[in-house]
Amino acid sequence: MSTTEPDALLGPADIRELAAALGVRPTKQRGQNFVIDANTVRRIVRTAGVREDDVVVEVGPGLGSLTLALLEAADRVVAVEIDDVLAAALPSTIVARLPERVANFSLVHSDAMLVDELPGVEPTALVANLPYNVAVPVLLHMLDRFPTIERTLVMVQAEVADRLAAAPGNKVYGVPSVKANWYAEVKRAGSIGRNVFWPAPNVDSGLVSLVRRDPPKTTATKREVFAVVDAAFAQRRKTLRAALAGWAGSPAAAETALVAAGISPQARGEALTVEEFARIAEAKA
């Protein structure tokens, strides 16, 4: 792995200068908040455990702050960017800041939710500062579509980080928690302050680590299990007997499935593990 100059990464002045040259202003519509602190992106790469043989996919690279840090550490980086101006500019930034790593970088100009293949070798890691407004669906899509992703570290809104990493019984445990657990062991991996972003968001951010694991052993499909999860949390204050009535066809049918799965009909979705949701899906008549 070649060494790089200390100033290869982007600082606050670099970010603003680059944005001004491109006529770019971060937009709320796309949940854009650019990281302007080199120490923060180094910390993200370090916390992600990026290795020299990793092929890292990054969603929403923006102006390239994290991209450059990833290129310093990984074998290859594939960046997925939806914004026309940012996608057009990013390769030039790589050429200017890390010319010796250009051959190890690929850009996919697309909506991440529509990406079902990536150039070159399949990715081994996902590291990204995910736009706040699409963080969960993008994360779940990437984990689903690219099973070779072993390790993931995403920076998301603190509230979303808490939901993703929540355990059963936690008041913020919900659909994102259960679905993320289908794919991976999930845990909080740190907090990020507001002053490392431009513009500074009005919320704090958090890091979430996801380490791939085998999904629960079940005869039900992922779609069938996720349908139970969605139904259970659509009316989270109701008992599962009531919440799953529409899914099962009636409250009585829901109770039958729950009893067959060994789950109390009076339980609520927030108390169940992903394995228990899988048992319910299996038990549907």
Side-chain angles (χ1 to χ4, degrees), residues 10-11 14-16 18-20 22 24-27 30-36 41 57-71 77-94 97 105-110 112 127-131 155 197-199:
L10 298 170
D14 300 313
I15 291 286
R16 290 188 170 88
L18 189 52
L22 297 173
V24 166
R25 290 290 302 178
T27 69
R30 288 188 171 156
Q32 291 169 328
N33 296 92
F34 299 137
V35 181
I36 58 173
V41 294
V57 59
E58 180 191 8
V59 175
L63 292 167
S65 302
L66 180 56
T67 316
L68 291 164
L70 289 169
L71 268 172
V77 174
V78 181
V80 180
E81 177 59 65
I82 188 174
D83 187 284
D84 294 342
V85 174
L86 296 174
L90 188 55
S92 298
T93 301
I94 304 302
R97 311 290 297 202
F105 172 75
S106 300
L107 175 74
V108 176
H109 181 197
S110 175
V127 184
N129 169 24
L130 290 178
M155 180 161 57
F197 295 97
W198 174 66

Side-chain angles (χ1 to χ4, degrees), residues 75-245:
D75 180 44
R76 298 193 58 81
V77 174
V78 181
V80 180
E81 177 59 65
I82 188 174
D83 187 284
D84 294 342
V85 174
L86 296 174
L90 188 55
S92 298
T93 301
I94 304 302
V95 169
R97 311 290 297 202
L98 282 176
E100 71 274 27
R101 301 291 289 152
V102 170
N104 301 77
F105 172 75
S106 300
L107 175 74
V108 176
H109 181 197
S110 175
D111 181 342
M113 292 296 292
L114 303 178
V115 170
D116 58 9
E117 62 179 354
L118 293 168
V121 179
E122 291 285 319
T124 58
L126 167 64
V127 184
N129 169 24
L130 290 178
Y132 286 170
N133 54 348
V134 294
V136 172
V138 165
L139 173 63
L140 295 176
H141 172 76
M142 297 301 287
L143 290 174
D144 185 61
R145 180 57 194 88
F146 300 101
T148 55
I149 293 175
E150 303 162 358
R151 288 160 289 113
T152 294
L153 187 80
V154 291
M155 180 161 57
V156 294
Q157 186 175 337
E159 182 182 338
V160 175
D162 290 339
R163 288 177 183 169
L164 283 167
N170 189 300
K171 64 180 180 180
V172 298
Y173 182 76
V175 172
S177 325
V178 182
K179 291 184 177 179
N181 264 281
W182 175 271
Y183 301 103
E185 298 286 349
V186 189
K187 67 177 184 179
R188 270 290 223 128
S191 298
I192 302 289
R194 306 177 188 192
N195 61 344
V196 303
F197 295 97
W198 174 66
N202 56 8
V203 293
D204 292 324
S205 298
L207 298 176
V208 181
S209 166
L210 301 97
V211 177
R212 176 79 67 172
R213 66 170 188 143
D214 291 333
K217 288 182 168 57
T218 176
T219 58
T221 66
K222 182 197 64 162
R223 178 176 292 186
E224 289 168 341
V225 176
F226 282 13
V228 182
V229 175
D230 289 334
F233 287 102
Q235 305 175 78
R236 64 182 298 148
R237 292 188 177 184
K238 293 189 175 183
T239 65
L240 286 171
R241 184 183 190 277
L244 297 182

